Amino acid sequence: MKDITPLAEGWKLRHDEALLPARVPGCVHTDLLAAGLIPDPFLERNEAEVAWVGRRDWAYVTDVSHDSAHERTDLVFEGLDTAARITFAGRELGATRNMHRTYRFDATGLKGQLEVRFASAYEEAESVRAITGDRPNVYPEPFQYIRKMACSFGWDWGPTLVTAGIWRPVRLEHWSTARLATVRPLVTVDGDRGAVEVRLQVERTASGAATGLRARAAVAGEEAEVRFEGDEAVVRLTVDRPRLWWPRGYGEQPLYELEVTLYDEGGALDTWQRRIGFRTVGLDRTPDEHGTGFTLVVNGERVFARGVNWIPDDVFPSRITPERYRTRLRQAADANVDLVRIWGGGIYEDEAFYDACDELGLMVWQDFLFACAAYPEEQPLRGEVEAEARDNVVRLMPHASLVLWNGNNENLWGFRDWDWEPGLAGDSWGEGYYLGLLPRVVAELDPTRAYSAGSPWSGSWDHHPNDPAHGTYHSWEVWNRQDYAEYRANVPRFVSEFGWQAPPALATLRRALPGEDLAPDSPGMLHHQKAEDGNGKLDRGVARHFALPEGDFDRWHYLTQVVQARAVAAGIEHWRSHWPVCAGTVVWQLNDCWPVSSWAAVDGDGRLKPLHHELRRVYADRLLTLQPGDRGPVLTVVNQSPTPWRTEVTLRRIEADGSTTGRGAQEVTVAARSVVRLPVPPGLAPAELSTKEFLVADADGLRATFFPVPDKEFAYERPAFDIVVEPGPDGSGNVHVVVIAHTLIRDLLLQADRLAPGATADRGLTTLLAGEQVRIRVDGCGDVTADDVRGALFCVGER
């Protein structure tokens, strides 16, 4: 039987004449940081102080003394970042130039020093650019000339920290006769029967070339066996009435262990195990009277995707542990998310990411790794792209959560709209990857899943790549130039990117910028704002609705977070109300890779912004919303649950002083997975552009509000409320903050991290009418008083 020797210990990083302790998996930056030779690049403006690291060559060394009685020993690297030469016992084994591939070298009989020398990623990229020629790019960094995590070269939310190192595990594999080289399980369901077709390839030693081999596969109590003719075989299993895997909110997530064992006449040689799930997944792109659809279909059920975009959770991805993946993905699930799109400027994530998605019922949309640039299709890149695609399709296809392969991020759109074509003058730019190579690889290796050429993409060049009526759509005009009310200007078929910025939590800023007198334009704040005119857009977004605070950072911080939450909610409420024409929204973005002002719902230290709580509301199975209409507000009742929703909706027209001037009730029945839109009776709708009245809808604990004018024009009374702090249940370690409103309190927010850096609150923005109260559970704050709490509470109007 094959055996494995991990090579995680004893590594050194060669730094000038010194050998520093090195962690594998890891990277140069984290090793230098651990040795105290560089400052933390996440703090203050230290990023600029460590730019030199990415422009140097580096080497990792260790001594290997393992013996084995097996015929063959392979040195296996799961990830090398990026351009490396490997020397073992004085023999050069090979070279690499792709961060996203696994590499295997014959190291039979070798022992002694193992050295991995990394060239600067800049040097590698420039050498490729010299071969292929220039291509346009949205950033002034050469990331499209090297198969490396693009966002390590900086993005409009990320620092420029160009890494190098052994970023995934390395091992020795000792084996004889033959090993399982690839295992591809194609899982399908037909009626009440599940099928697993396992396609196998083996690699043999010279002595095993003529050896008879067989493979046995087992899943869900079923077994099957096949004999090899040559180096390939297919073993098929049938499972009667398997329990189906469903996205969260649609059913359970049963997973089955699939095990494959390779034998010769002497016994077992190799094994392979993964968990699989039985389900069907498709993509309905049928043209209709509205354009061209883009609807995910799982087990025959059409799904409105409640999604978020995912970027690498750390600019040094070797630091992301399975526990951290699970925490972040649990935060997504807690926000009622059911789809996570892995964005094309990052990485193919670790197995732990997809395992967690399998278990949590989070559908995975996987981009191939191309983003925001024209990519040369010549060698040496083309061969790397194909090898990378084949490697990762085979690695990831067992996961039930994976529902879609996507060719790129914004490159088809960029070719059409970003003035790329004239400068290319006929040069390759990636189209051959997205419309040729990648769909061919997916069709060959993983025909059970759909492939889309890009995001956004209308499905063909017959339509503009970012046409909202066809395929997927990115909505960035709103954040860049318009008020978020403009989200309501159209009904795209599927919104795969949109979002709004806000700064991170105050405790995150205090940690990242220690000692700084925080202001929107203070040096550290500006350094941790990577978007072009990011603060200008934040200020303009606030100013459309509120008086822009002058010299009051706390107020500015609160209002920018309010506008972010409201903006994203406005888009989702509008688009969900038009299901099934619109079949999904994927918010940019769930997470951050460092402490920064960004579009994220969870900041770089893992703290929840108000947006996260708002996602939990607007992505819930049941949603109540009041939408502007041509003849006054429209009550929209969204039911994404599997059962009908019968409810009574109470409508109240209320004056700014709290008096109710109109009241009505309406019985509403909404079928499962359906939407009902009803005009608000004229007698209940506030007068157009009224500054003194608003509308409230309540049903089954849900609330929607409609204000005819921006907040800065509304005649709010000065907010008045009482605060009571109650201890939580014995031993719970939390407190309950009760806020009792005496006036309208709009978008009340308790920023719990102001009470203690580790404190959290169980709610975000909350609107109370006069006489109402809310109970907020706060964990991790210790003993606090009502005065302490008052200093951490904010609301619209005066604080």
Side-chain angles (χ1 to χ4, degrees), residues 503-514:
L506 185 69
T508 299
L509 291 172
R510 291 290 185 207
R511 187 192 70 82
L513 305 173

Side-chain angles (χ1 to χ4, degrees), residues 88 258 501 620:
F88 194 180
L258 172 63
Q501 265 205 3

Side-chain angles (χ1 to χ4, degrees), residues 18-87:
L19 287 176
L20 307 177
R23 186 168 185 173
V24 171
C27 75
V28 172
H29 287 82
T30 53
D31 290 332
L32 294 174
L33 188 59
L37 296 176
I38 61 171
D40 188 338
F42 284 15
L43 302 184
E44 300 174 311
R45 291 178 284 172
N46 293 339
E47 173 197 353
E49 301 299 314
V50 302
W52 61 271
V53 175
R55 296 187 176 274
R56 284 188 49 171
D57 297 348
W58 298 94
Y60 283 81
V61 296
T62 191
D63 290 318
V64 179
S65 58
H66 298 282
D67 290 310
S68 174
H70 279 287
E71 296 176 70
R72 173 84 172 260
T73 295
D74 288 347
L75 175 63
V76 181
F77 293 94
E78 292 187 20
L80 291 170
D81 176 17
T82 292
R85 291 192 174 274
I86 297 92
T87 304

Side-chain angles (χ1 to χ4, degrees), residues 68 251-252 641:
S68 174
E252 297 181 347
S641 75

Side-chain angles (χ1 to χ4, degrees), residues 162-186:
V162 180
T163 53
I166 305 170
W167 77 289
R168 279 185 168 157
V170 55
R171 63 185 181 273
L172 295 174
E173 290 189 5
H174 314 285
W175 55 283
S176 299
T177 307
R179 70 176 186 90
L180 291 167
T182 62
V183 180
R184 293 193 295 116
L186 303 174

Side-chain angles (χ1 to χ4, degrees), residues 226-238:
V226 67
R227 291 194 174 274
F228 280 81
E229 300 290 339
D231 294 338
E232 298 186 2
V234 180
V235 58
R236 296 177 173 87
L237 303 104
T238 300

